[in-house]
Amino acid sequence: MPEADAQSYRCNPPLFVLLFAAPPLRGAAAAGYVAVVFLLAATAYAVFQVPYVTMPAEMTEDPAERGRILGWRVGFLGVAILLSGALAPALAQADGGSPASYRLMGAAVAVLLALGMFGAWFTTRWAPRAARSESEPSLRAQLATARSHRPFLYLAGMWTLQALAVGVMLAGVQYFATYTLGSPTAVTPLFACLIGPLVLYMPLWSGLSRRWGVKNAQWAASLLFLAGALLLALTPTAGPGLGYAAVAVVGVAYAGLQLLPLTMLADTLAADAARTGKRRAGTFTGLWTAAETLAFALGAGVFALVLAVTGFRSSDADHQVAQPEAALTGITAGMSVLPAVLTAASLWLLHRYREDPAGATEPDSSPAPAPAPLSVPVPSESPRQEENNTRVD
C-alpha cells in the first residue's frame, strides 16, 4: 500500500475517538462539530479504502486467485464486524448509556480500527504486484473515464442501490427491535443474525461464483436479499420468530453482496486493462468508494425521512413516547419494503451489466483486420513468366 495509505491509519482512529468524545455542545454547534469530524474521518477512511479495494486487481491477474483473496478479506471483515458489533453496544451501555461510556466505546473501537488498518498496510508491503495502476490528473478526467466505460457504470450503479438498501436497513435495526419486536435489547440477536452468516456462508458464495459465474451468483444473492426483506415485512402479524428468520435470510444474502460485487469489480478492472492497455484501477475504485460511502451515509438519512413522513415522535432513553400507528408501520416498511424496492431497482442494472469487456462504450483502438488479398490475374508476356506466376500463386 502507498505511504498516503499508511498515514490514514494514523488519522482515522483518533478521529473516530473525537467523534464520540464531543464537547458538551447543543443544537447547531453540536451538529457542526459532528459534521466536521465525521467528514475528516470519512476522508481518512477513503484514503485507506481506495488502495485497499484496488490491490486485488494489482496483486494477481488470475480471476480465481482474486476471488480467493476477496473471500478471505470479507471473512475477516465479518469477524471484525461481529467483534466490534458485540463490543460497542456492551461498552456504550455499561454505565447506563452515559457520555463517558460512549467515549470508552469510541476509544475501544478505535484500537480495533488501528489494528486492522495497520495490519493490512504492514502485511501487504511485500505482496506481489502484477501491475501498477495509473491515475487520472483531475476529477473531471476520472468522471469522463467512468462515463466511457459502460460495464463499470452499470456495476457501480447496481452496488450503490444495494448499498443504500443495506444502509437503510442497518439504520432501522434499533427502531425495528424497539418498536416492532418490542425490546431494545433485541438489536443484539438481530445484529448477530445479520452479520453471523457473513463468516459462515462466505465459502458458499465463493464456490457458487466459481461454479455458476460471478454474475449469476450475484443474481442469486440479490434475489435472496429481496426475498428476505419482503419476508421481514410480515413480522408484525407473524411474530418475532419470523423477524429473526427473515434477518438471517438477509444475512446469508448480505454475505454474497459483500463478496460478489467486489469480485465483479476486480474482473471488470482486469478486462479494462486487457482491452485498453491502461491500468486505471485507482480511478475506478476511487469512484466506487465514493459512491459506496455516499450510499451508506444516505441510508440513515432516508430512514430518518421515512420516520418524519410517518409521524415518528422523538424520545430519549428515560422517557419513551407512544408512537402513532403510522409511525410503527413506517418503521417496518422502512426496514423491509424500502430496501426491497431499492434492491429490485438494482436488478435492472445487474441485467445490463456485461462481463465481456467489449460491452464498454469506448471504441476499440485495435487495428481492424486487413482485408483478404484479391486474386487479380496478372497478364504474362511469355509462357515462362506465366509459369512463374502460377508457382507464386
Side-chain angles (χ1 to χ4, degrees):
M1 288 187 177
E3 290 303 317
D5 180 60
Q7 297 301 323
S8 69
Y9 79 78
R10 297 188 180 100
C11 297
N12 190 262
L15 288 168
F16 190 85
V17 173
L18 291 176
L19 190 62
F20 290 92
L25 302 174
R26 296 280 183 180
Y33 174 88
V34 172
V36 170
V37 175
F38 183 83
L39 178 62
L40 293 174
T43 302
Y45 169 76
V47 173
F48 174 87
Q49 180 73 356
V50 171
Y52 180 73
V53 175
T54 305
M55 286 180 68
E58 294 187 345
M59 290 169 62
T60 177
E61 297 182 350
D62 181 4
E65 190 172 11
R66 282 197 302 268
R68 289 192 295 270
I69 291 173
L70 291 169
W72 279 99
R73 170 193 289 183
V74 176
F76 277 108
L77 174 65
V79 173
I81 293 176
L82 280 174
L83 179 61
S84 60
L87 178 66
L91 292 177
Q93 299 300 324
D95 192 21
S98 66
S101 60
Y102 274 92
R103 293 189 181 100
L104 176 62
M105 180 272 292
V109 174
V111 172
L112 294 179
L113 281 173
L115 290 175
M117 298 175 77
F118 178 81
W121 170 76
F122 184 78
T123 56
T124 57
R125 297 183 68 182
W126 299 277
R129 178 176 294 178
R132 182 184 293 272
S133 297
E134 303 172 8
S135 60
E136 299 293 343
S138 65
L139 177 61
R140 183 177 181 179
Q142 293 176 20
L143 294 175
T145 298
R147 285 196 303 268
S148 68
H149 198 287
R150 186 166 295 175
F152 173 77
L153 287 180
Y154 288 133
L155 182 60
M158 176 212 72
W159 173 237
T160 300
L161 286 176
Q162 294 187 355
L164 180 58
V166 173
V168 170
M169 188 172 286
L170 291 175
V173 167
Q174 183 65 71
Y175 295 90
F176 186 82
T178 301
Y179 296 100
T180 303
L181 298 182
S183 173
T185 60
V187 68
T188 300
L190 280 177
F191 193 78
C193 289
L194 180 64
I195 304 301
L198 194 64
V199 179
L200 298 177
Y201 286 89
M202 191 56 57
L204 169 67
W205 291 113
S206 181
L208 289 179
S209 68
R210 291 192 297 269
R211 179 173 298 182
W212 295 353
V214 184
K215 183 177 179 180
N216 290 333
Q218 176 65 22
W219 268 103
S222 301
L223 292 173
L224 187 62
F225 186 91
L226 175 61
L230 291 176
L231 192 63
L232 197 60
L234 304 176
T235 303
T237 56
L242 179 66
Y244 290 119
V247 171
V249 171
V250 170
V252 174
Y254 183 55
L257 298 186
Q258 283 291 303
L259 171 66
L260 300 169
L262 288 177
T263 304
M264 297 167 73
L265 175 64
D267 292 343
T268 300
L269 298 180
D272 174 74
R275 184 177 59 83
T276 64
K278 299 179 180 179
R279 294 286 179 174
R280 305 184 290 187
T283 296
F284 290 122
T285 54
L287 296 173
W288 177 280
T289 300
E292 178 186 52
T293 304
L294 179 62
F296 280 123
L298 286 177
V302 171
F303 191 83
L305 180 61
V306 172
L307 295 180
V309 169
T310 56
F312 181 83
R313 299 170 183 172
S314 299
S315 61
D316 54 39
D318 297 326
H319 303 88
Q320 291 291 334
V321 178
Q323 300 297 334
E325 191 65 28
L328 298 177
T329 302
I331 290 172
T332 301
M335 180 75 175
S336 58
V337 177
L338 182 54
V341 170
L342 291 170
T343 304
S346 74
L347 295 179
W348 181 82
L349 296 171
L350 177 59
H351 169 71
R352 298 286 295 174
Y353 170 77
R354 296 291 183 269
E355 294 171 304
D356 187 351
T361 58
E362 289 183 355
D364 189 357
S365 59
S366 60
L374 298 177
S375 299
V376 179
V378 180
S380 58
E381 297 179 356
S382 65
R384 173 65 63 182
Q385 183 65 38
E386 183 177 356
E387 180 182 355
N388 291 338
N389 289 338
T390 302
R391 292 176 179 173
V392 171
D393 291 340

